[in-house]
Amino acid sequence: MTIDSRLAELGIALPQPAAPVAAYVPAVEANGLLHISGQISFAEDGSLITGRLGEDVDLEAGQAAARRCGIMLIAQMKAALGSLDRVERIVKLGVFVNSAGHFTDQPKVANGASELMQDVFGDAGKHARSAVGVSVLPLGVAVEVDAVVAVRA
């Protein structure tokens, strides 16, 4: 089964990959790895998912925001690689969560992106990860996720 078929089976439609908002490129392929710049939380309608976990965003909404970041990561993979079947392994996700000072469930928020990668790529979607609470993210978004992906030539 192709990854595109798996996405269809899961009911996931990839959005247009987000354009950079500053002086960087969305992805760089080097030495068999695709490094994908941080993808911020966009809703299906293209609006930003904003707010701070533990303040005005609850855990479930944070997980959904992380999942949306993951979907944008996959869109960036497809744009950079031409085919998602070139993905050999999701190596690492870096998850940044806009968090109130008392909020400590960043790993649970990050599961929204992590579980998506496993659903889409199977065992190749299992990855290393960091989940970090931060006091603010670009444009006030709730979550930002970057990735390192091993690719086939």
Side-chain angles (χ1 to χ4, degrees), residues 66-150:
R67 178 180 171 86
R68 291 299 304 168
C69 293
I71 289 171
M72 188 60 77
L73 284 169
I74 296 170
Q76 294 290 5
M77 288 176 215
K78 187 167 187 172
L81 301 173
S83 169
L84 291 170
D85 295 318
R86 287 190 60 206
V87 172
E88 184 175 330
R89 177 91 191 239
I90 307 301
V91 176
K92 184 169 187 206
L93 297 182
V95 182
F96 303 89
V97 181
N98 188 347
S99 302
H102 66 277
F103 185 80
T104 59
D105 281 335
Q106 291 84 3
K108 291 178 183 176
V109 171
N111 283 346
S114 291
E115 292 169 1
L116 171 72
M117 295 303 163
Q118 293 173 36
D119 289 346
V120 172
F121 296 102
D123 283 343
K126 294 179 181 178
H127 53 272
R129 183 183 83 188
S130 54
V132 180
V134 296
S135 63
V136 67
L137 283 169
L139 307 175
V141 296
V143 181
E144 179 175 350
V145 184
D146 64 18
V148 178
V149 179

Side-chain angles (χ1 to χ4, degrees), residues 28-48:
V28 173
E29 185 177 351
N31 301 317
L33 295 174
L34 182 67
H35 298 262
I36 306 171
S37 297
Q39 301 298 302
I40 60 177
S41 48
F42 284 99
E44 282 190 50
D45 66 4
S47 64
L48 293 172

